[in-house]
Amino acid sequence: PTVSAKHGIIEASLPSGESVAVYLYGATVTSWKANGQEQLFLSQKTHLDGSKPIRGGIPLVFPVFGPPPQNHVTSPLPQHGFARNSTWEFLGKSSSEAGKGDLAVKLDFGLSHTMLSEEFRKAWPYEFGLVYSVTLTKGALRTSLQVTNEGKENFEFQVLMHTYLSVEDISNIRVKNLESKTYIDKTRNATSHTESSPALAITGETDRVYQGLDPATPIIVSSASDDQPLFSITREALTDIVVWNPWIEKAKGMADFGPDEAYQNMICVEAGSVSSWQTLEAGDSWEGGQSIKSRL
Ligand code: TA6
């Protein structure tokens, strides 16, 4: 495996044609190629200069998902918290055997309270350490986050990996294994519903938080035309899945989302722990992650 670091971008590749690129800004994965083909969506109008969170790839949401609640310790933070708009450090890479003679290359990134901007440190005054690992193997990408409470008081957090998957045509994909699950529909005043479809089609703005899923049951993004799985996502310790597509109007309304019709080429399937709060006691650590397999 080769790894290169320049201009705040860490890249790694495997002889089998897999590659990954990670911006130190937000530790945001911006590219994952399997078999030489890009698997993630990245808006053509995304900022990449740190002026705004990257629109695409896998933005990292921590310590709060969505707009922070009122009268809460996270209230002063921006939407989705500070992890995706802070500059992380590259801690290093390691290579290992991934079985069947395949290689794995793991890139580690770190963010701690001492590295935060004054604004963010004041807004969320806890002593913490984050280690984000991005592991590339043949046909799969794993991202996992370890959260450590380095202070003397407990804190609570939410975490989510805001994965933008690249699809050829949104009308030809289905999302499977959500049937009978409870979800909060943010396009219908955050009301609670039960999923009735074994294969969810995306036919308009979709913004749903599916709750309490078995992390080992893969969420499948499949092709409707041949019922083949395109992506299969399993998780560890992340029991919620957010399904989001902005559709026509919201896509037009985001200045950094382009071209406007690109809503047809992406689906966000986001592994997280967001429907409640994880409490981390002083000195304790928590870890959670996702593994995305690509059919290609
Ligand atoms: O993915 C779910 C969501 O919370 C949507 O409601 C939408 O706001 C999306 O995240 C993008 O948020 P962002 O802050 O990146 O524009």
PDB file of all heavy atoms in Angstrom, residues 158-183:
ATOM      1  N   GLN A 158     -23.569  12.704  20.558  1.00  0.00           N
ATOM      2  CA  GLN A 158     -24.135  11.948  19.438  1.00  0.00           C
ATOM      3  C   GLN A 158     -23.036  11.856  18.391  1.00  0.00           C
ATOM      4  O   GLN A 158     -22.124  12.693  18.361  1.00  0.00           O
ATOM      5  CB  GLN A 158     -25.366  12.664  18.863  1.00  0.00           C
ATOM      6  CG  GLN A 158     -26.517  12.743  19.862  1.00  0.00           C
ATOM      7  CD  GLN A 158     -27.685  13.548  19.340  1.00  0.00           C
ATOM      8  OE1 GLN A 158     -27.508  14.490  18.572  1.00  0.00           O
ATOM      9  NE2 GLN A 158     -28.894  13.179  19.759  1.00  0.00           N
ATOM     10  N   VAL A 159     -23.121  10.835  17.544  1.00  0.00           N
ATOM     11  CA  VAL A 159     -22.114  10.675  16.496  1.00  0.00           C
ATOM     12  C   VAL A 159     -22.800  10.100  15.263  1.00  0.00           C
ATOM     13  O   VAL A 159     -23.774   9.330  15.386  1.00  0.00           O
ATOM     14  CB  VAL A 159     -20.965   9.755  16.977  1.00  0.00           C
ATOM     15  CG1 VAL A 159     -21.471   8.364  17.317  1.00  0.00           C
ATOM     16  CG2 VAL A 159     -19.858   9.672  15.939  1.00  0.00           C
ATOM     17  N   LEU A 160     -22.339  10.483  14.075  1.00  0.00           N
ATOM     18  CA  LEU A 160     -22.915   9.946  12.829  1.00  0.00           C
ATOM     19  C   LEU A 160     -21.897  10.108  11.712  1.00  0.00           C
ATOM     20  O   LEU A 160     -21.132  11.086  11.686  1.00  0.00           O
ATOM     21  CB  LEU A 160     -24.206  10.698  12.490  1.00  0.00           C
ATOM     22  CG  LEU A 160     -24.862  10.388  11.147  1.00  0.00           C
ATOM     23  CD1 LEU A 160     -26.333  10.034  11.311  1.00  0.00           C
ATOM     24  CD2 LEU A 160     -24.699  11.542  10.179  1.00  0.00           C
ATOM     25  N   MET A 161     -21.874   9.118  10.812  1.00  0.00           N
ATOM     26  CA  MET A 161     -21.013   9.193   9.629  1.00  0.00           C
ATOM     27  C   MET A 161     -21.917   9.513   8.446  1.00  0.00           C
ATOM     28  O   MET A 161     -22.734   8.690   8.054  1.00  0.00           O
ATOM     29  CB  MET A 161     -20.256   7.886   9.485  1.00  0.00           C
ATOM     30  CG  MET A 161     -19.384   7.709  10.730  1.00  0.00           C
ATOM     31  SD  MET A 161     -18.663   6.109  10.968  1.00  0.00           S
ATOM     32  CE  MET A 161     -17.825   6.423  12.541  1.00  0.00           C
ATOM     33  N   HIS A 162     -21.790  10.735   7.944  1.00  0.00           N
ATOM     34  CA  HIS A 162     -22.770  11.286   6.995  1.00  0.00           C
ATOM     35  C   HIS A 162     -22.413  10.907   5.550  1.00  0.00           C
ATOM     36  O   HIS A 162     -22.086  11.765   4.720  1.00  0.00           O
ATOM     37  CB  HIS A 162     -22.790  12.808   7.177  1.00  0.00           C
ATOM     38  CG  HIS A 162     -24.024  13.477   6.679  1.00  0.00           C
ATOM     39  ND1 HIS A 162     -24.345  13.556   5.341  1.00  0.00           N
ATOM     40  CD2 HIS A 162     -25.015  14.115   7.341  1.00  0.00           C
ATOM     41  CE1 HIS A 162     -25.478  14.216   5.204  1.00  0.00           C
ATOM     42  NE2 HIS A 162     -25.921  14.563   6.393  1.00  0.00           N
ATOM     43  N   THR A 163     -22.505   9.623   5.276  1.00  0.00           N
ATOM     44  CA  THR A 163     -21.996   9.034   4.032  1.00  0.00           C
ATOM     45  C   THR A 163     -22.857   9.379   2.815  1.00  0.00           C
ATOM     46  O   THR A 163     -24.052   9.087   2.779  1.00  0.00           O
ATOM     47  CB  THR A 163     -21.945   7.503   4.189  1.00  0.00           C
ATOM     48  OG1 THR A 163     -21.268   7.182   5.409  1.00  0.00           O
ATOM     49  CG2 THR A 163     -21.221   6.854   3.021  1.00  0.00           C
ATOM     50  N   TYR A 164     -22.233  10.003   1.810  1.00  0.00           N
ATOM     51  CA  TYR A 164     -22.887  10.306   0.527  1.00  0.00           C
ATOM     52  C   TYR A 164     -22.474   9.220  -0.465  1.00  0.00           C
ATOM     53  O   TYR A 164     -21.345   9.217  -0.961  1.00  0.00           O
ATOM     54  CB  TYR A 164     -22.416  11.652  -0.018  1.00  0.00           C
ATOM     55  CG  TYR A 164     -22.919  12.905   0.660  1.00  0.00           C
ATOM     56  CD1 TYR A 164     -22.447  13.299   1.906  1.00  0.00           C
ATOM     57  CD2 TYR A 164     -23.841  13.736   0.013  1.00  0.00           C
ATOM     58  CE1 TYR A 164     -22.884  14.473   2.505  1.00  0.00           C
ATOM     59  CE2 TYR A 164     -24.284  14.914   0.606  1.00  0.00           C
ATOM     60  CZ  TYR A 164     -23.810  15.270   1.852  1.00  0.00           C
ATOM     61  OH  TYR A 164     -24.247  16.449   2.431  1.00  0.00           O
ATOM     62  N   LEU A 165     -23.367   8.268  -0.754  1.00  0.00           N
ATOM     63  CA  LEU A 165     -23.061   7.207  -1.709  1.00  0.00           C
ATOM     64  C   LEU A 165     -23.380   7.685  -3.129  1.00  0.00           C
ATOM     65  O   LEU A 165     -24.377   8.379  -3.345  1.00  0.00           O
ATOM     66  CB  LEU A 165     -23.878   5.945  -1.392  1.00  0.00           C
ATOM     67  CG  LEU A 165     -23.615   5.322  -0.014  1.00  0.00           C
ATOM     68  CD1 LEU A 165     -24.646   4.246   0.277  1.00  0.00           C
ATOM     69  CD2 LEU A 165     -22.194   4.765   0.059  1.00  0.00           C
ATOM     70  N   SER A 166     -22.513   7.319  -4.062  1.00  0.00           N
ATOM     71  CA  SER A 166     -22.723   7.697  -5.462  1.00  0.00           C
ATOM     72  C   SER A 166     -23.613   6.652  -6.135  1.00  0.00           C
ATOM     73  O   SER A 166     -23.340   5.447  -6.031  1.00  0.00           O
ATOM     74  CB  SER A 166     -21.365   7.750  -6.179  1.00  0.00           C
ATOM     75  OG  SER A 166     -21.562   7.990  -7.554  1.00  0.00           O
ATOM     76  N   VAL A 167     -24.690   7.101  -6.772  1.00  0.00           N
ATOM     77  CA  VAL A 167     -25.555   6.170  -7.512  1.00  0.00           C
ATOM     78  C   VAL A 167     -25.772   6.747  -8.914  1.00  0.00           C
ATOM     79  O   VAL A 167     -25.715   7.960  -9.119  1.00  0.00           O
ATOM     80  CB  VAL A 167     -26.920   5.947  -6.813  1.00  0.00           C
ATOM     81  CG1 VAL A 167     -26.727   5.305  -5.444  1.00  0.00           C
ATOM     82  CG2 VAL A 167     -27.714   7.241  -6.694  1.00  0.00           C
ATOM     83  N   GLU A 168     -26.011   5.857  -9.868  1.00  0.00           N
ATOM     84  CA  GLU A 168     -26.192   6.328 -11.249  1.00  0.00           C
ATOM     85  C   GLU A 168     -27.514   7.068 -11.397  1.00  0.00           C
ATOM     86  O   GLU A 168     -27.606   8.078 -12.075  1.00  0.00           O
ATOM     87  CB  GLU A 168     -26.173   5.128 -12.207  1.00  0.00           C
ATOM     88  CG  GLU A 168     -24.773   4.828 -12.699  1.00  0.00           C
ATOM     89  CD  GLU A 168     -24.753   3.644 -13.666  1.00  0.00           C
ATOM     90  OE1 GLU A 168     -25.711   3.507 -14.454  1.00  0.00           O
ATOM     91  OE2 GLU A 168     -23.781   2.884 -13.568  1.00  0.00           O
ATOM     92  N   ASP A 169     -28.565   6.511 -10.756  1.00  0.00           N
ATOM     93  CA  ASP A 169     -29.901   7.080 -10.959  1.00  0.00           C
ATOM     94  C   ASP A 169     -30.744   6.789  -9.723  1.00  0.00           C
ATOM     95  O   ASP A 169     -31.096   5.634  -9.480  1.00  0.00           O
ATOM     96  CB  ASP A 169     -30.533   6.450 -12.218  1.00  0.00           C
ATOM     97  CG  ASP A 169     -31.960   6.947 -12.435  1.00  0.00           C
ATOM     98  OD1 ASP A 169     -32.466   7.682 -11.548  1.00  0.00           O
ATOM     99  OD2 ASP A 169     -32.563   6.604 -13.454  1.00  0.00           O
ATOM    100  N   ILE A 170     -31.072   7.816  -8.989  1.00  0.00           N
ATOM    101  CA  ILE A 170     -31.800   7.671  -7.717  1.00  0.00           C
ATOM    102  C   ILE A 170     -33.110   6.898  -7.907  1.00  0.00           C
ATOM    103  O   ILE A 170     -33.545   6.186  -6.998  1.00  0.00           O
ATOM    104  CB  ILE A 170     -32.049   9.062  -7.086  1.00  0.00           C
ATOM    105  CG1 ILE A 170     -32.630   8.938  -5.670  1.00  0.00           C
ATOM    106  CG2 ILE A 170     -32.977   9.912  -7.955  1.00  0.00           C
ATOM    107  CD1 ILE A 170     -31.669   8.416  -4.637  1.00  0.00           C
ATOM    108  N   SER A 171     -33.685   6.999  -9.113  1.00  0.00           N
ATOM    109  CA  SER A 171     -34.994   6.325  -9.309  1.00  0.00           C
ATOM    110  C   SER A 171     -34.801   4.822  -9.468  1.00  0.00           C
ATOM    111  O   SER A 171     -35.763   4.056  -9.430  1.00  0.00           O
ATOM    112  CB  SER A 171     -35.703   6.904 -10.542  1.00  0.00           C
ATOM    113  OG  SER A 171     -34.925   6.586 -11.693  1.00  0.00           O
ATOM    114  N   ASN A 172     -33.549   4.392  -9.630  1.00  0.00           N
ATOM    115  CA  ASN A 172     -33.328   2.959  -9.852  1.00  0.00           C
ATOM    116  C   ASN A 172     -32.743   2.272  -8.622  1.00  0.00           C
ATOM    117  O   ASN A 172     -32.289   1.131  -8.684  1.00  0.00           O
ATOM    118  CB  ASN A 172     -32.380   2.750 -11.046  1.00  0.00           C
ATOM    119  CG  ASN A 172     -32.168   1.267 -11.318  1.00  0.00           C
ATOM    120  OD1 ASN A 172     -33.120   0.485 -11.222  1.00  0.00           O
ATOM    121  ND2 ASN A 172     -30.935   0.861 -11.568  1.00  0.00           N
ATOM    122  N   ILE A 173     -32.716   2.964  -7.491  1.00  0.00           N
ATOM    123  CA  ILE A 173     -32.164   2.281  -6.306  1.00  0.00           C
ATOM    124  C   ILE A 173     -33.267   2.028  -5.280  1.00  0.00           C
ATOM    125  O   ILE A 173     -34.315   2.665  -5.295  1.00  0.00           O
ATOM    126  CB  ILE A 173     -30.994   3.063  -5.647  1.00  0.00           C
ATOM    127  CG1 ILE A 173     -31.466   4.427  -5.138  1.00  0.00           C
ATOM    128  CG2 ILE A 173     -29.834   3.207  -6.595  1.00  0.00           C
ATOM    129  CD1 ILE A 173     -31.403   4.547  -3.646  1.00  0.00           C
ATOM    130  N   ARG A 174     -33.067   1.049  -4.441  1.00  0.00           N
ATOM    131  CA  ARG A 174     -33.949   0.757  -3.316  1.00  0.00           C
ATOM    132  C   ARG A 174     -33.077   0.582  -2.082  1.00  0.00           C
ATOM    133  O   ARG A 174     -31.936   0.127  -2.193  1.00  0.00           O
ATOM    134  CB  ARG A 174     -34.727  -0.543  -3.576  1.00  0.00           C
ATOM    135  CG  ARG A 174     -35.618  -0.546  -4.825  1.00  0.00           C
ATOM    136  CD  ARG A 174     -36.794   0.399  -4.679  1.00  0.00           C
ATOM    137  NE  ARG A 174     -37.680   0.360  -5.863  1.00  0.00           N
ATOM    138  CZ  ARG A 174     -37.537   1.176  -6.913  1.00  0.00           C
ATOM    139  NH1 ARG A 174     -36.553   2.086  -6.918  1.00  0.00           N
ATOM    140  NH2 ARG A 174     -38.365   1.096  -7.948  1.00  0.00           N
ATOM    141  N   VAL A 175     -33.643   0.926  -0.913  1.00  0.00           N
ATOM    142  CA  VAL A 175     -32.921   0.712   0.349  1.00  0.00           C
ATOM    143  C   VAL A 175     -33.651  -0.402   1.107  1.00  0.00           C
ATOM    144  O   VAL A 175     -34.858  -0.299   1.378  1.00  0.00           O
ATOM    145  CB  VAL A 175     -32.859   2.001   1.196  1.00  0.00           C
ATOM    146  CG1 VAL A 175     -31.986   1.783   2.434  1.00  0.00           C
ATOM    147  CG2 VAL A 175     -32.295   3.166   0.375  1.00  0.00           C
ATOM    148  N   LYS A 176     -32.899  -1.465   1.422  1.00  0.00           N
ATOM    149  CA  LYS A 176     -33.507  -2.660   2.004  1.00  0.00           C
ATOM    150  C   LYS A 176     -33.081  -2.884   3.460  1.00  0.00           C
ATOM    151  O   LYS A 176     -32.071  -2.353   3.902  1.00  0.00           O
ATOM    152  CB  LYS A 176     -33.077  -3.885   1.182  1.00  0.00           C
ATOM    153  CG  LYS A 176     -33.628  -3.896  -0.236  1.00  0.00           C
ATOM    154  CD  LYS A 176     -33.154  -5.154  -0.943  1.00  0.00           C
ATOM    155  CE  LYS A 176     -33.902  -5.384  -2.225  1.00  0.00           C
ATOM    156  NZ  LYS A 176     -33.432  -6.624  -2.893  1.00  0.00           N
ATOM    157  N   ASN A 177     -33.943  -3.712   4.139  1.00  0.00           N
ATOM    158  CA  ASN A 177     -33.746  -4.101   5.542  1.00  0.00           C
ATOM    159  C   ASN A 177     -34.143  -3.023   6.533  1.00  0.00           C
ATOM    160  O   ASN A 177     -33.667  -3.006   7.665  1.00  0.00           O
ATOM    161  CB  ASN A 177     -32.304  -4.585   5.804  1.00  0.00           C
ATOM    162  CG  ASN A 177     -32.034  -5.911   5.117  1.00  0.00           C
ATOM    163  OD1 ASN A 177     -32.971  -6.601   4.705  1.00  0.00           O
ATOM    164  ND2 ASN A 177     -30.777  -6.260   4.966  1.00  0.00           N
ATOM    165  N   LEU A 178     -35.033  -2.115   6.060  1.00  0.00           N
ATOM    166  CA  LEU A 178     -35.590  -1.111   6.973  1.00  0.00           C
ATOM    167  C   LEU A 178     -37.027  -1.463   7.365  1.00  0.00           C
ATOM    168  O   LEU A 178     -37.647  -0.794   8.177  1.00  0.00           O
ATOM    169  CB  LEU A 178     -35.580   0.261   6.292  1.00  0.00           C
ATOM    170  CG  LEU A 178     -34.205   0.862   5.996  1.00  0.00           C
ATOM    171  CD1 LEU A 178     -34.340   2.085   5.102  1.00  0.00           C
ATOM    172  CD2 LEU A 178     -33.486   1.229   7.299  1.00  0.00           C
ATOM    173  N   GLU A 179     -37.561  -2.547   6.739  1.00  0.00           N
ATOM    174  CA  GLU A 179     -38.976  -2.884   6.938  1.00  0.00           C
ATOM    175  C   GLU A 179     -39.293  -3.069   8.432  1.00  0.00           C
ATOM    176  O   GLU A 179     -38.463  -3.646   9.159  1.00  0.00           O
ATOM    177  CB  GLU A 179     -39.300  -4.171   6.186  1.00  0.00           C
ATOM    178  CG  GLU A 179     -40.784  -4.502   6.157  1.00  0.00           C
ATOM    179  CD  GLU A 179     -41.072  -5.738   5.300  1.00  0.00           C
ATOM    180  OE1 GLU A 179     -40.103  -6.380   4.845  1.00  0.00           O
ATOM    181  OE2 GLU A 179     -42.252  -6.019   5.088  1.00  0.00           O
ATOM    182  N   SER A 180     -40.422  -2.534   8.828  1.00  0.00           N
ATOM    183  CA  SER A 180     -40.977  -2.656  10.195  1.00  0.00           C
ATOM    184  C   SER A 180     -40.194  -1.825  11.219  1.00  0.00           C
ATOM    185  O   SER A 180     -40.518  -1.831  12.397  1.00  0.00           O
ATOM    186  CB  SER A 180     -41.020  -4.131  10.651  1.00  0.00           C
ATOM    187  OG  SER A 180     -39.738  -4.526  11.112  1.00  0.00           O
ATOM    188  N   LYS A 181     -39.206  -1.084  10.765  1.00  0.00           N
ATOM    189  CA  LYS A 181     -38.435  -0.238  11.702  1.00  0.00           C
ATOM    190  C   LYS A 181     -39.150   1.098  11.925  1.00  0.00           C
ATOM    191  O   LYS A 181     -39.774   1.644  11.019  1.00  0.00           O
ATOM    192  CB  LYS A 181     -37.017   0.015  11.170  1.00  0.00           C
ATOM    193  CG  LYS A 181     -36.209  -1.243  10.946  1.00  0.00           C
ATOM    194  CD  LYS A 181     -36.099  -2.055  12.229  1.00  0.00           C
ATOM    195  CE  LYS A 181     -35.383  -3.367  11.983  1.00  0.00           C
ATOM    196  NZ  LYS A 181     -35.508  -4.278  13.144  1.00  0.00           N
ATOM    197  N   THR A 182     -39.013   1.621  13.145  1.00  0.00           N
ATOM    198  CA  THR A 182     -39.576   2.934  13.468  1.00  0.00           C
ATOM    199  C   THR A 182     -38.658   4.017  12.926  1.00  0.00           C
ATOM    200  O   THR A 182     -37.435   3.892  13.036  1.00  0.00           O
ATOM    201  CB  THR A 182     -39.689   3.091  15.006  1.00  0.00           C
ATOM    202  OG1 THR A 182     -40.509   2.037  15.499  1.00  0.00           O
ATOM    203  CG2 THR A 182     -40.262   4.443  15.377  1.00  0.00           C
ATOM    204  N   TYR A 183     -39.254   5.057  12.318  1.00  0.00           N
ATOM    205  CA  TYR A 183     -38.414   6.170  11.881  1.00  0.00           C
ATOM    206  C   TYR A 183     -39.088   7.505  12.161  1.00  0.00           C
ATOM    207  O   TYR A 183     -40.301   7.605  12.198  1.00  0.00           O
ATOM    208  CB  TYR A 183     -38.059   6.055  10.389  1.00  0.00           C
ATOM    209  CG  TYR A 183     -39.210   6.207   9.415  1.00  0.00           C
ATOM    210  CD1 TYR A 183     -39.549   7.446   8.873  1.00  0.00           C
ATOM    211  CD2 TYR A 183     -39.945   5.094   9.015  1.00  0.00           C
ATOM    212  CE1 TYR A 183     -40.597   7.581   7.972  1.00  0.00           C
ATOM    213  CE2 TYR A 183     -40.993   5.220   8.107  1.00  0.00           C
ATOM    214  CZ  TYR A 183     -41.319   6.462   7.582  1.00  0.00           C
ATOM    215  OH  TYR A 183     -42.349   6.587   6.691  1.00  0.00           O
TER     216      TYR A 183
END
